[in-house]
Amino acid sequence: MAAPLLDVDGLSLEFRTRSGVVKALEDVSFQVAKGEILGLVGESGSGKSVSAYAAMGILDAAGCVTAGAIRYDGMAVTGAPEREVAKLRGREMAMIFQSPRTALNPIRTVGDQIGDVLRRHGGATRQTARARAVEALAQVRIPDPARRARAYPFELSGGMCQRVCIAMALACRPKLLICDEPTTGLDVTTQAAIMALIVELCRERGMGALLITHDLHLAAETCDRIAVMHAGHVVETGAAADLFAQPRHPYTASLIAATPAAGRTLDAIGAIPGNLPDLRAALPPCRYRARCPRALGVCDADPLPPLGSGHGVRCHNPLGCNPMGEEATVDHAAA
Amino acid sequence: MAASRLGIVARRVGGAIPSLVGVVVVTFVLTRSLPGDPAVYFAGLMADAESIAATRARLGLDRTWIEQFVSYVERLFAGDWGVSLQTGRPVLTELSQRLPASLELTLAGLLFAIGVAVPLGVLAATRPNSWVDHLCRVVVTAGVSLPTFFTGLFLVYLFYFLAGVAPSPLGRLDFIYFSPPHVTGFYTIDTALAGDWWTFRGALAQLVLPALTLGLFALAPIARMTRASMLAALSADFVRTATAMGLSRRKVLWTYAFGNAFLPVLTTLGMVFSFLLGANVLVERVFSWPGVGSFAIDALVASDYAAVQGFVLAMALLFVAVNLLIDVIYTLVDPRVGLEG
């Protein structure tokens, strides 16, 4: 594989808050290659969004990178001056967010908001910005784009607002698109349409994408590769098909077992016991230790094994090939 | 879009009419229910029952309230707001001559307050817990806790008595100047229009201390609201989006964050302007400013009912006008306004 577009390498990150230091990310590594869609999955609070914000350089001021690096196309993002990183945003990498209605400025027409981005990066002038904004809206399949460009966000539906956000993100043809739960808060048919649009545009333009979601079905359908996060660790990574067919980390297996599907009753859905550990407290090497049914003595003592390449897992006792000789008992049907 | 906005503005203006009717009714009822019998007062010290009755009939006070109200409204529209007892001149003339002085002072104070408070609030919000933020907190606390008559006297003591840099606090122009030709009634504007820069400087020098006094009072609520709404806007999702799209810091700060933070500040400005009209009464006294406030105090002390009534009515009309103006600006700035209503 050539040098990845986005390379998050051993990233550790803390938030210094009034109630203590939150160790939000520890030794997080993942890569997005050109034209590849990487899914970042995990429950709420596992550090998916924080990783993305760090990559965009838009972390809250309380956030502080303590180790590791993020590189975009070979250029260091962490530690680079804000001026340099700001040049990448919108032009090289762009981001869309959840709740698209509040993600847009309520008192500015969507055309003007797209125009702002085009004038900043795309070399548009005051005169050409409007026409190019209409063009950008047309590219995300918004009907009657000239009229929509004059609309305010409150006059549009949630799905339409997300299309506007996508148009804005893609207006300057970035090479990397980060989608932070782009379909949360949209109804199911709109979700499907938005995801289809994102995938189509990525394939069409050869764009790399990082898709953050807690919807495993969505990840399985759209992503080339998956990275599973739990409590600030990447616990497993691999090609989407492999990972869902043969999960190796107990957490991944439990997540898959906990996914609702047609024909599955509530009883058949396995809830994961316990909660995410308190990231402010002292933590064991494996942050899944307290919830894990396969924990061994070694889990408390030794640091986690490295992720490795291909279908990698950070577990002393992974499913499939394990020292205890037992077979995986977890339901894979969801994949 | 533009046409519908104009329609909304027209509706707002129409919506002010009931307020105006209410104002007229309240002023009427208020003066009728004041203690004391105007007929006795106007008949004079030597009056007997017969002459009091005659005076009552002459003033129309023997008629029903409804009839009195109708004739009151008729006279209002005819421009007859009664005659001031102390000055012997029509109330409307008095008010229209003094109102520009008060307005000039109030607006100068408000402009000063906006000029200081808005940048201060924005800076405090963008740099939380920096020295600017602490300064903002000190100014806000001082502004709400210092009464205007004290600030006024203190400034006079400091800049006129001790430092000697300010002119004597006696009205709008020192006696060595001639009043400018009347155009707007605002001395600073009229002198500038006449090109009389010498008098302009004189008028401005007189204006500085009282405007500062009012401004310091108005600073606090504006700075506090600017800081709070700016903080809220900066943590809003759309500011995060704008940052993630790589827009410049200035664009994010002003067009995106401040554009939205401005709306609650605008509402506060309307309220502050109303406060200032009230605070004016004391400040005009301290600086011998020939405005409507000092006129009203004198009228109140002398039981000059027509003058008080005229003052209350004029202030109420001004309140309605200011609120209407704020409403209209709001409608023009915020596209969401008027769709629910």
Side-chain angles (χ1 to χ4, degrees):
Chain A
M1 189 167 73
L5 195 57
L6 179 72
D7 183 10
V8 176
D9 183 13
L11 186 72
S12 295
L13 193 150
E14 298 176 347
F15 284 99
R16 299 192 175 141
T17 68
R18 228 173 286 176
S19 57
V21 175
V22 180
K23 296 182 267 308
L25 297 181
E26 188 182 74
D27 197 11
V28 164
S29 300
F30 58 83
Q31 289 79 36
V32 182
K34 292 191 175 82
E36 175 192 54
I37 303 180
L38 174 74
L40 206 51
V41 301
E43 63 196 285
S44 304
S46 55
K48 309 182 298 280
S49 295
V50 170
S51 307
Y53 285 17
M56 290 292 288
I58 55 169
L59 271 180
D60 188 89
C64 170
V65 173
T66 53
I70 299 173
R71 281 179 291 272
Y72 172 81
D73 215 0
M75 178 199 147
V77 174
T78 45
E82 163 61 19
R83 239 173 339 106
E84 296 300 310
V85 184
K87 277 189 201 156
L88 296 178
R89 287 198 290 265
R91 188 183 319 207
E92 291 290 327
M93 48 186 179
M95 188 162 180
I96 58 175
F97 300 91
Q98 55 179 318
S99 30
R101 278 166 160 277
T102 57
L104 292 169
N105 186 347
I107 60 168
R108 206 164 164 74
T109 62
V110 297
D112 283 346
Q113 294 187 52
I114 298 172
D116 286 341
V117 180
L118 283 165
R119 283 169 65 187
R120 173 77 174 164
H121 305 296
T125 60
R126 194 184 285 272
Q127 289 77 30
T128 59
R130 174 48 64 103
R132 291 193 46 193
V134 172
E135 218 173 277
L137 286 174
Q139 280 171 4
V140 293
R141 331 286 192 247
I142 287 183
D144 200 357
R147 193 165 63 87
R148 300 287 191 219
R150 286 193 301 272
Y152 290 93
F154 75 96
E155 295 169 321
L156 302 174
S157 68
M160 203 60 92
C161 282
Q162 192 59 289
R163 279 175 198 264
V164 170
C165 289
I166 295 171
M168 201 191 291
L170 300 190
C172 299
R173 303 199 157 257
K175 297 195 189 75
L176 175 70
L177 178 67
I178 299 180
C179 312
D180 187 0
E181 308 202 15
T183 56
T184 306
L186 303 178
D187 69 59
V188 182
T189 46
T190 316
Q191 282 186 9
I194 291 288
M195 276 325 297
L197 176 71
I198 291 175
V199 173
E200 187 188 336
L201 289 171
C202 282
R203 301 288 183 229
E204 195 178 293
R205 300 178 180 201
M207 220 169 24
L210 178 64
L211 173 68
I212 297 171
T213 181
H214 48 234
D215 184 340
L216 293 190
H217 288 302
L218 188 79
E221 278 166 26
T222 41
C223 299
D224 303 313
R225 285 193 312 121
I226 304 283
V228 182
M229 287 194 76
H230 175 266
H233 284 161
V234 171
V235 294
E236 183 168 0
T237 177
D242 288 353
L243 190 129
F244 284 108
Q246 285 283 310
R248 295 185 60 202
H249 197 281
Y251 178 63
T252 313
S254 309
L255 265 188
I256 294 169
T259 304
R264 255 173 133 182
T265 62
L266 267 183
D267 295 330
I269 297 172
I272 305 177
N275 290 308
L276 285 179
D278 182 357
L279 298 184
R280 286 167 299 182
L283 292 160
C286 174
R287 295 180 176 185
Y288 191 58
R289 169 75 182 80
R291 306 167 82 178
C292 184
R294 297 171 58 87
L296 303 171
V298 68
C299 297
D300 289 320
D302 293 3
L304 289 176
L307 198 53
S309 56
H311 189 164
V313 60
R314 304 197 69 183
C315 182
H316 290 292
N317 185 15
L319 295 152
C321 53
N322 57 73
M324 294 171 82
E326 58 184 298
E327 233 348 284
T329 52
V330 199
D331 185 1
H332 300 155
Chain B
M1 199 70 223
S4 73
R5 288 250 184 120
L6 273 182
I8 296 167
V9 170
R11 275 218 300 283
R12 299 270 152 183
V13 174
I17 290 172
S19 319
L20 292 179
V21 172
V23 163
V24 172
V25 171
V26 169
T27 1
F28 174 78
V29 173
L30 208 64
T31 40
R32 295 306 119 150
S33 47
L34 283 177
D37 187 343
V40 176
Y41 188 86
F42 280 101
L45 288 173
M46 309 297 283
D48 52 10
E50 198 180 320
S51 66
I52 289 175
T55 313
R56 180 166 289 137
R58 184 167 55 80
L59 292 173
L61 294 173
D62 55 342
R63 288 182 290 163
T64 63
W65 277 42
I66 303 287
E67 286 170 335
Q68 288 186 42
F69 182 70
V70 170
S71 73
Y72 170 69
V73 173
E74 277 170 5
R75 275 184 284 121
L76 276 188
F77 276 105
D80 176 11
W81 288 30
V83 173
S84 165
L85 282 178
Q86 335 156 61
T87 61
R89 299 203 297 163
V91 172
L92 197 59
T93 317
E94 284 286 355
L95 287 177
S96 56
Q97 279 182 1
R98 287 165 170 272
L99 198 60
S102 291
L103 279 182
E104 184 177 29
L105 177 55
T106 310
L107 288 177
L110 194 64
L111 280 182
F112 166 75
I114 296 172
V116 174
V118 169
L120 190 65
V122 170
L123 281 176
T126 49
R127 295 171 181 72
N129 293 318
S130 65
W131 65 268
V132 186
D133 198 12
H134 294 304
L135 176 71
C136 181
R137 213 163 291 149
V138 170
V139 166
V140 165
T141 316
V144 289
S145 47
L146 295 175
T148 46
F149 64 86
F150 172 78
T151 332
L153 288 174
F154 185 69
L155 289 179
V156 169
Y157 178 72
L158 215 61
F159 291 104
Y160 170 65
F161 185 75
L162 285 186
V165 289
S168 54
L170 294 170
R172 305 177 77 185
L173 264 185
D174 214 334
F175 62 90
I176 52 169
Y177 301 99
F178 290 108
S179 307
H182 183 94
V183 183
T184 58
F186 286 27
Y187 278 10
T188 45
I189 296 179
D190 286 354
T191 49
L193 286 177
D196 184 355
W197 299 109
W198 189 62
T199 316
F200 173 80
R201 280 192 55 187
L204 197 64
Q206 291 294 127
L207 186 62
V208 168
L209 283 192
L212 216 57
T213 309
L214 278 179
L216 286 175
F217 171 71
L219 215 72
I222 303 175
R224 196 173 41 195
M225 186 49 87
T226 308
R227 179 177 177 276
S229 55
M230 197 64 191
L231 274 178
L234 281 173
S235 63
D237 286 357
F238 58 82
V239 165
R240 187 190 55 189
T241 308
T243 313
M245 295 300 165
L247 296 187
S248 67
R249 174 99 179 127
R250 184 191 298 173
K251 187 90 182 169
V252 172
L253 212 57
W254 293 105
T255 310
Y256 282 72
F258 188 70
N260 282 275
F262 175 67
L263 295 170
V265 174
L266 187 65
T267 313
T268 313
L269 284 185
M271 284 189 322
V272 166
F273 186 81
S274 313
F275 292 157
L276 283 187
L277 287 178
N280 233 342
V281 174
L282 287 171
V283 175
E284 285 179 7
R285 203 11 71 104
V286 171
F287 289 92
S288 308
W289 199 260
V292 286
S294 49
F295 173 70
I297 292 193
D298 292 337
L300 209 55
V301 171
S303 301
D304 187 352
Y305 287 143
V308 173
Q309 194 173 320
F311 171 74
V312 172
L313 188 60
M315 286 300 110
L317 291 179
L318 207 55
F319 266 52
V320 172
V322 166
N323 280 309
L324 183 63
L325 184 70
I326 298 281
D327 251 12
V328 169
I329 297 177
Y330 218 111
T331 311
L332 295 178
V333 175
D334 190 344
R336 292 163 296 181
V337 166
L339 276 121
E340 312 83 38

